[in-house]
mmCIF file of all heavy atoms in Angstrom:
data_model
loop_
_atom_site.group_PDB
_atom_site.id
_atom_site.type_symbol
_atom_site.label_atom_id
_atom_site.label_comp_id
_atom_site.label_asym_id
_atom_site.label_seq_id
_atom_site.Cartn_x
_atom_site.Cartn_y
_atom_site.Cartn_z
ATOM 1 N N PRO A 997 98.543 141.623 28.599
ATOM 2 C CA PRO A 997 98.539 142.045 30.008
ATOM 3 C C PRO A 997 99.925 141.888 30.624
ATOM 4 O O PRO A 997 100.718 141.051 30.190
ATOM 5 C CB PRO A 997 97.513 141.120 30.660
ATOM 6 C CG PRO A 997 97.275 140.015 29.700
ATOM 7 C CD PRO A 997 97.613 140.520 28.344
ATOM 8 N N TRP A 998 100.207 142.678 31.659
ATOM 9 C CA TRP A 998 101.576 142.778 32.172
ATOM 10 C C TRP A 998 102.097 141.476 32.734
ATOM 11 O O TRP A 998 103.287 141.191 32.674
ATOM 12 C CB TRP A 998 101.666 143.873 33.236
ATOM 13 C CG TRP A 998 100.904 143.554 34.495
ATOM 14 C CD1 TRP A 998 99.608 143.833 34.751
ATOM 15 C CD2 TRP A 998 101.403 142.852 35.623
ATOM 16 N NE1 TRP A 998 99.249 143.356 35.977
ATOM 17 C CE2 TRP A 998 100.331 142.752 36.546
ATOM 18 C CE3 TRP A 998 102.647 142.307 35.966
ATOM 19 C CZ2 TRP A 998 100.477 142.120 37.770
ATOM 20 C CZ3 TRP A 998 102.776 141.682 37.188
ATOM 21 C CH2 TRP A 998 101.697 141.589 38.071
ATOM 22 N N TYR A 999 101.174 140.645 33.313
ATOM 23 C CA TYR A 999 101.670 139.447 34.012
ATOM 24 C C TYR A 999 102.114 138.368 33.049
ATOM 25 O O TYR A 999 102.772 137.409 33.453
ATOM 26 C CB TYR A 999 100.595 138.911 34.962
ATOM 27 C CG TYR A 999 99.246 138.692 34.329
ATOM 28 C CD1 TYR A 999 98.975 137.522 33.638
ATOM 29 C CD2 TYR A 999 98.266 139.664 34.401
ATOM 30 C CE1 TYR A 999 97.746 137.333 33.042
ATOM 31 C CE2 TYR A 999 97.035 139.494 33.803
ATOM 32 C CZ TYR A 999 96.777 138.320 33.126
ATOM 33 O OH TYR A 999 95.589 138.136 32.530
ATOM 34 N N GLN A 1000 101.758 138.499 31.733
ATOM 35 C CA GLN A 1000 102.212 137.462 30.799
ATOM 36 C C GLN A 1000 103.685 137.625 30.458
ATOM 37 O O GLN A 1000 104.415 136.655 30.308
ATOM 38 C CB GLN A 1000 101.368 137.511 29.531
ATOM 39 C CG GLN A 1000 100.017 136.848 29.723
ATOM 40 C CD GLN A 1000 99.373 136.531 28.413
ATOM 41 O OE1 GLN A 1000 99.915 136.805 27.361
ATOM 42 N NE2 GLN A 1000 98.198 135.952 28.481
ATOM 43 N N ASP A 1001 104.121 138.866 30.299
ATOM 44 C CA ASP A 1001 105.480 139.090 29.828
ATOM 45 C C ASP A 1001 106.005 140.404 30.415
ATOM 46 O O ASP A 1001 106.118 141.403 29.713
ATOM 47 C CB ASP A 1001 105.465 139.147 28.297
ATOM 48 C CG ASP A 1001 106.855 138.998 27.732
ATOM 49 O OD1 ASP A 1001 107.783 138.851 28.539
ATOM 50 O OD2 ASP A 1001 107.000 139.027 26.516
ATOM 51 N N PRO A 1002 106.276 140.435 31.732
ATOM 52 C CA PRO A 1002 106.561 141.712 32.394
ATOM 53 C C PRO A 1002 107.737 142.482 31.810
ATOM 54 O O PRO A 1002 107.679 143.716 31.719
ATOM 55 C CB PRO A 1002 106.842 141.307 33.840
ATOM 56 C CG PRO A 1002 106.680 139.873 33.940
ATOM 57 C CD PRO A 1002 106.330 139.302 32.640
ATOM 58 N N VAL A 1003 108.807 141.769 31.410
ATOM 59 C CA VAL A 1003 110.014 142.484 30.974
ATOM 60 C C VAL A 1003 109.729 143.266 29.697
ATOM 61 O O VAL A 1003 110.043 144.457 29.594
ATOM 62 C CB VAL A 1003 111.176 141.497 30.789
ATOM 63 C CG1 VAL A 1003 112.368 142.210 30.211
ATOM 64 C CG2 VAL A 1003 111.527 140.879 32.117
ATOM 65 N N ASN A 1004 109.072 142.601 28.725
ATOM 66 C CA ASN A 1004 108.751 143.307 27.492
ATOM 67 C C ASN A 1004 107.710 144.385 27.741
ATOM 68 O O ASN A 1004 107.702 145.410 27.057
ATOM 69 C CB ASN A 1004 108.252 142.324 26.430
ATOM 70 C CG ASN A 1004 109.412 141.683 25.703
ATOM 71 O OD1 ASN A 1004 110.474 142.278 25.587
ATOM 72 N ND2 ASN A 1004 109.209 140.474 25.242
ATOM 73 N N PHE A 1005 106.827 144.170 28.744
ATOM 74 C CA PHE A 1005 105.826 145.185 29.092
ATOM 75 C C PHE A 1005 106.532 146.459 29.549
ATOM 76 O O PHE A 1005 106.230 147.550 29.076
ATOM 77 C CB PHE A 1005 104.925 144.627 30.204
ATOM 78 C CG PHE A 1005 103.819 145.551 30.596
ATOM 79 C CD1 PHE A 1005 102.655 145.609 29.845
ATOM 80 C CD2 PHE A 1005 103.951 146.365 31.715
ATOM 81 C CE1 PHE A 1005 101.634 146.463 30.209
ATOM 82 C CE2 PHE A 1005 102.935 147.224 32.072
ATOM 83 C CZ PHE A 1005 101.773 147.276 31.327
ATOM 84 N N ILE A 1006 107.524 146.303 30.434
ATOM 85 C CA ILE A 1006 108.266 147.469 30.916
ATOM 86 C C ILE A 1006 109.029 148.115 29.766
ATOM 87 O O ILE A 1006 109.070 149.345 29.629
ATOM 88 C CB ILE A 1006 109.219 147.049 32.054
ATOM 89 C CG1 ILE A 1006 108.404 146.582 33.258
ATOM 90 C CG2 ILE A 1006 110.132 148.181 32.459
ATOM 91 C CD1 ILE A 1006 109.233 145.968 34.337
ATOM 92 N N ALA A 1007 109.627 147.278 28.899
ATOM 93 C CA ALA A 1007 110.409 147.820 27.783
ATOM 94 C C ALA A 1007 109.515 148.630 26.850
ATOM 95 O O ALA A 1007 109.878 149.746 26.435
ATOM 96 C CB ALA A 1007 111.084 146.684 27.016
#
Side-chain angles (χ1 to χ4, degrees):
Chain A
W998 67 271
Y999 52 83
Q1000 281 197 0
D1001 196 0
V1003 174
N1004 276 332
F1005 183 82
I1006 295 172

